[in-house]
Amino acid sequence: MRLAALTGVELRKLALRPRTWVSVGLLCALPVVVAAFLGTSELAPRPGQGPAFLSAVLGNGQLYPAAALGIVVPIFLPVAVCVVAGDAIAGEAQAGTLRYLLVRPVGRTRLLVAKLFAVLAFTLGAVVAVALVSFVAGTQLLGTRPDALGTTTASLSGTSLSPQELLVRTLLVMAYVSVSMLGVAALALLLSTLVDSPLVAALGGLALLVASTVLVGLDAASAIHDLLPTRYWLAWVDLFRDPILWTDVRRGVLMQLGWAGVLLAAAWASFTTRDITS
């Protein structure tokens, strides 16, 4: 079976699973709840007060998609990605379909690549869904307040960004957040090739990510901070500075590509040499 056809099969299987849509729905619901809270309560700081980015969001709901992605990145999006990636191979093994799937003219490498494409498609789809839903929620619940020139003071440097610049920077944030999940996906996929339980694979990936997050916050571990996969997850904020500070963004992308390369190579080695008994 050709890779394109096999990838199509995996994407169709992913789309037909109710939990896929439940996961995306929950990811989208959280930013909506937060926007409703910010828009209706008096506990949030007024526009122009409080943290710079939060102040900018409260002044213009068009910024809310970036803020919403910032809300789901630390915990909720990685959980969803780990669940999907952890189920990729281990789910087939647990259901007893992996052996029969490989009996067909499907190479292990092609199957692994197709599974990876499905996980990446889920990640990108979830990011796009969160951004679109949060844009609607932000503009409706927080409003938009452009100035007389049609620009909006949105950058963290205090300068004005045109609607076109705001759109480009929001798209960059979406791309960066998607890339930031590469390490998560590769890690859970590797564990999925090692165990027959998708739950174990997902929990193993999350455990290592929690450990990385804890180590990032420890001064005693400063020597390895730049090697941890969660180190630059929030560097997307620099995309809203003027001029954009690319240093941490670039480091974050290279970090994820490095982790993804190593972990996917390990996943390939594990899967292609594994004895399939289920």
Side-chain angles (χ1 to χ4, degrees):
M1 183 179 293
R2 294 180 180 274
L3 178 59
L6 186 57
T7 301
V9 170
E10 293 301 324
L11 291 174
R12 187 159 52 251
K13 287 165 58 177
L14 185 65
L16 292 176
R17 288 174 179 166
R19 70 180 175 193
T20 299
W21 300 104
V22 170
S23 298
V24 174
L26 291 175
L27 286 171
C28 293
L30 179 62
V32 173
V33 172
V34 173
F37 175 79
L38 292 175
T40 58
S41 74
E42 298 181 356
L43 296 178
R46 296 180 178 180
Q49 301 178 0
F53 192 76
L54 177 58
S55 175
V57 169
L58 293 174
N60 181 12
Q62 292 178 345
L63 274 171
Y64 191 62
L69 290 172
I71 292 171
V72 301
V73 161
I75 299 177
F76 303 101
L77 184 58
V79 168
V81 172
C82 276
V83 169
V84 173
D87 183 69
I89 302 297
E92 300 280 5
Q94 186 180 64
T97 57
L98 182 58
R99 179 173 54 186
Y100 299 104
L101 181 62
L102 293 176
V103 168
R104 300 160 60 189
V106 176
R108 295 193 183 193
T109 299
R110 278 182 290 176
L111 178 60
L112 187 65
V113 172
K115 294 286 188 181
L116 175 62
F117 282 160
V119 173
L120 296 180
F122 170 82
T123 303
L124 182 59
V127 168
V128 171
V130 169
L132 292 176
V133 171
S134 58
F135 176 81
V136 175
T139 53
Q140 295 299 314
L141 297 173
L142 302 178
T144 57
R145 299 177 179 87
D147 61 22
L149 297 178
T151 59
T152 304
T153 303
S155 79
L156 298 183
S157 304
T159 57
S160 295
L161 299 176
S162 68
Q164 293 76 17
E165 291 174 319
L166 184 58
L167 174 61
V168 169
R169 296 192 186 210
T170 301
L171 292 175
L172 287 174
V173 170
M174 293 168 61
Y176 183 77
V177 168
S178 299
V179 171
S180 295
M181 294 297 109
L182 282 177
V184 178
L187 176 58
L189 189 60
L190 168 61
L191 295 175
S192 185
T193 66
L194 298 173
V195 300
D196 290 342
S197 170
L199 179 60
V200 171
L203 291 179
L206 289 174
L208 291 176
L209 291 175
V210 169
S212 173
T213 302
V214 171
L215 290 174
V216 166
L218 290 179
D219 292 337
S222 59
I224 62 171
H225 279 179
D226 288 342
L227 300 177
L228 297 173
T230 60
R231 169 67 175 84
Y232 297 104
W233 269 5
L234 300 181
W236 60 266
V237 174
D238 290 340
L239 295 171
F240 282 96
R241 303 186 190 279
D242 193 21
I244 295 175
L245 300 181
W246 290 103
T247 302
D248 282 354
V249 174
R250 189 180 301 112
R251 289 174 179 171
V253 171
L254 293 176
M255 171 73 70
Q256 294 301 321
L257 292 177
W259 274 102
V262 171
L263 294 171
L264 290 176
W268 174 81
S270 170
F271 188 53
T272 54
T273 59
R274 174 182 174 181
D275 291 331
I276 305 298
T277 59
S278 58

